[in-house]
Amino acid sequence: MASGGGDNELEVSNKQVIFKDYVSGFPKESDMYLKTNGTIKLKVPEGSNGLLVKNLYLSCDPYMRNRMKKSTDSLVPGSPIVGFGVAKVVDSGNPKFKKGDLVWGRTGWEEYSLITDLQNLFKIEHTDVPLSYYTGILGMPGLTAYGGFYEVCSPKKGEYVFISAASGAVGQLVGQFAKLLGCYVVGSAGSKEKVDLLKNKLKFDEAFNYKEESDLDAALKRYFPEGIDIYFENVGGKMLDAVLLNMRTHGRIAVCGMISQYNLEKPEGVYNLTHMIYKRVHMKAFVVFDYYHLYPKFLDLVLPHIAEGNIVYLEDIAEGLESGPAALVGLFSGLNVGKQVVLVAQE
């Protein structure tokens, strides 16, 4: 068992963001609180094959809202928030990891975490990119974009691609993948600043602010006069309904998320599903775990594009663990520009 020696017996303070209780409606900062009086031993308990890690970056993601409801995969009231993050191994009870290794995967919203479920933990081998990228482009959102676009949508050069929530952690990557393949790409977002970023920095062909469109069907017909081949779904509700009116024959819809619905007590209905029948539209939902086995293949594709500057990635970094609750809640009113990350500690 790898151990860092006597200094690892140290007990240190361990600030934590605690989940207060199950949430209905929009999450609020007060649904979480900062606990400052906790401590932790910097050593894996005897006989455990887990890891003791120092958390460096934490990821704020829309799916976390669903874990704030009472369900089989809920967060535990009175315990730290759990999400994806980047961490450094302080002590290891597992031969696959050693002290000093950098990892990404599920961890706690705290300064130090004991991770016992190593199944979905990845060792970081490429450190010539910002470590925060492993909460985004090289982590869960990146693999989500890759699996949803390439595996679910089977895209072809020249196809017409629409992405909702296009400036978010996943959408911005799907758009760039589609452009690299030679597709026509349009994205929707919720502010002029985000629309400008989509067109100018992320090189989308077109983008629009959905808040300024009273008729989403008309907006889509303006940008897709010949219809949509691929819709990458992050929003749901009225946007999905409008898209269904504009899909082309044999179009594909990858259902990644539906952020417009997560905070509603009663989800909105979708009325235009019959259009899927005579257009033979293929609509498939997926989760990132479906594509974990493709992670090495994904890195082979993305790392050269990052190195060559073919792909850019927008991050919105909040500093300090105490800024986590506001950063997470801000996702649901669109405060973030790009991937929302919380910096807990420098390496």
Side-chain angles (χ1 to χ4, degrees), residues 19-308:
F19 176 54
K20 199 179 279 181
D21 204 355
Y22 301 119
V23 175
S24 63
F26 269 81
K28 304 178 294 298
E29 287 180 54
S30 58
D31 292 320
M32 300 159 260
Y33 63 92
L34 194 68
K35 181 181 172 186
T36 55
N37 60 354
T39 61
I40 190 168
K41 279 191 173 148
L42 294 186
K43 189 159 177 59
V44 173
E46 200 62 48
S48 166
N49 70 343
L51 303 178
L52 199 289
V53 301
K54 178 181 182 178
N55 291 310
L56 306 177
Y57 292 95
L58 298 173
S59 178
C60 297
D61 298 294
Y63 82 87
M64 295 168 75
R65 171 63 187 86
N66 289 330
R67 300 196 70 210
M68 292 177 160
K69 299 173 185 168
K70 192 164 189 179
S71 71
T72 51
D73 190 35
S74 296
L75 296 171
V76 179
S79 295
I81 300 276
V82 174
F84 285 89
V86 173
K88 187 172 190 173
V89 177
V90 175
D91 189 39
S92 172
N94 190 292
K96 291 181 182 169
F97 298 92
K98 63 181 190 302
K99 182 181 177 181
D101 280 349
L102 292 161
V103 295
W104 75 267
R106 274 203 176 168
T107 188
W109 277 38
E110 51 194 350
E111 291 175 293
Y112 296 90
S113 292
L114 177 65
I115 301 177
T116 53
D117 178 10
L118 307 184
Q119 199 179 341
N120 298 325
L121 201 68
F122 294 87
K123 195 185 289 190
I124 294 173
E125 311 282 3
H126 302 275
T127 53
D128 52 347
V129 293
L131 277 181
S132 56
Y133 276 19
Y134 287 93
T135 67
I137 183 170
L138 296 176
M140 182 275 287
L143 193 54
T144 300
Y146 176 83
F149 185 60
Y150 290 105
E151 298 295 316
V152 175
C153 295
S154 306
K156 299 183 218 36
K157 183 179 179 177
E159 288 194 311
Y160 304 127
V161 177
F162 176 52
I163 303 150
S164 53
S167 69
V170 175
Q172 58 172 306
L173 278 174
V174 176
Q176 292 181 87
F177 287 155
K179 284 302 296 174
L180 287 168
L181 194 63
C183 298
Y184 167 78
V185 182
V186 179
S188 65
S191 72
K192 183 186 183 304
E193 179 193 9
K194 291 177 181 179
V195 168
D196 289 345
L197 283 169
L198 288 171
K199 292 202 284 194
N200 301 325
K201 188 147 191 182
L202 299 171
K203 303 294 187 269
F204 280 53
D205 293 291
E206 289 289 350
F208 64 90
N209 181 350
Y210 70 89
K211 292 176 183 171
E212 292 177 354
E213 302 291 344
S214 56
D215 184 340
L216 291 172
D217 177 34
L220 291 172
K221 284 183 166 53
R222 197 163 71 236
Y223 293 108
F224 294 99
E226 294 180 42
I228 299 166
D229 291 299
I230 289 173
Y231 173 43
F232 200 96
E233 165 69 300
N234 290 310
V235 167
K238 294 178 180 68
M239 184 66 84
L240 174 58
D241 236 10
V243 167
L244 289 168
L245 297 172
N246 289 278
M247 291 300 291
R248 301 181 79 187
T249 304
H250 300 299
R252 285 87 72 208
I253 299 175
V255 183
C256 174
M258 293 192 175
I259 196 169
S260 73
Q261 306 300 297
Y262 296 161
N263 298 309
L264 302 180
E265 288 297 294
K266 189 174 178 219
E268 293 173 317
V270 177
Y271 300 96
N272 295 323
L273 289 168
T274 51
H275 288 257
M276 291 179 67
I277 302 166
Y278 46 87
K279 292 284 180 68
R280 284 89 81 203
V281 172
H282 178 78
M283 184 169 170
K284 182 181 176 184
F286 70 100
V287 292
V288 69
F289 311 117
D290 298 340
Y291 301 111
Y292 269 5
H293 65 287
L294 296 179
Y295 188 62
K297 189 177 164 190
F298 160 71
L299 287 182
D300 289 344
L301 172 83
V302 176
L303 284 168
H305 281 313
I306 295 173
E308 290 157 24

